[in-house]
Amino acid sequence: MAYSEELKTKLYRRLQVMGYHEGLCQAISKQLCTEFTASRMLGYLSRMEKPPREEDLVDEMLAIMSDRDRLVAKHEAEHAQQKINEMYR
């Protein structure tokens, strides 16, 4: 999951345009700074007819981070299994 300064900035600006306060914009864009996470949040925001409540926005951020953590754990487990399989061969 690559880091993307461009997507991080795009997310930050999108949140600002939607009217969220500076601290929340910074916190969310700091936490969701990979291509995977920033793209997911930008997709979520683009589907909203009006800006979601701050609580809903933070909830979505936590869900995205949870998905990311599960994906990282899955890749780590697959890598470990691959190494074990190589060792058995």
Side-chain angles (χ1 to χ4, degrees), residues 33-79:
C33 62
T34 65
E35 287 185 34
F36 174 77
T37 57
S39 295
R40 288 270 312 266
M41 180 58 85
L42 287 167
Y44 169 75
L45 294 173
S46 71
R47 291 187 301 272
M48 298 289 111
E49 291 181 22
K50 62 180 184 172
R53 297 178 312 152
E54 287 184 1
E55 295 86 356
D56 295 333
L57 185 65
V58 171
D59 187 52
E60 184 65 19
M61 178 192 75
L62 294 173
I64 291 169
M65 291 173 63
S66 178
D67 287 349
R68 181 196 172 278
D69 291 344
R70 270 183 289 197
L71 187 62
V72 167
K74 177 183 176 229
H75 284 278
E76 288 172 349
E78 287 173 350
H79 179 72

Side-chain angles (χ1 to χ4, degrees), residues 17-29:
V17 166
M18 294 180 87
Y20 296 107
H21 63 86
E22 185 77 17
L24 184 61
C25 296
Q26 287 177 351
I28 290 176
S29 63

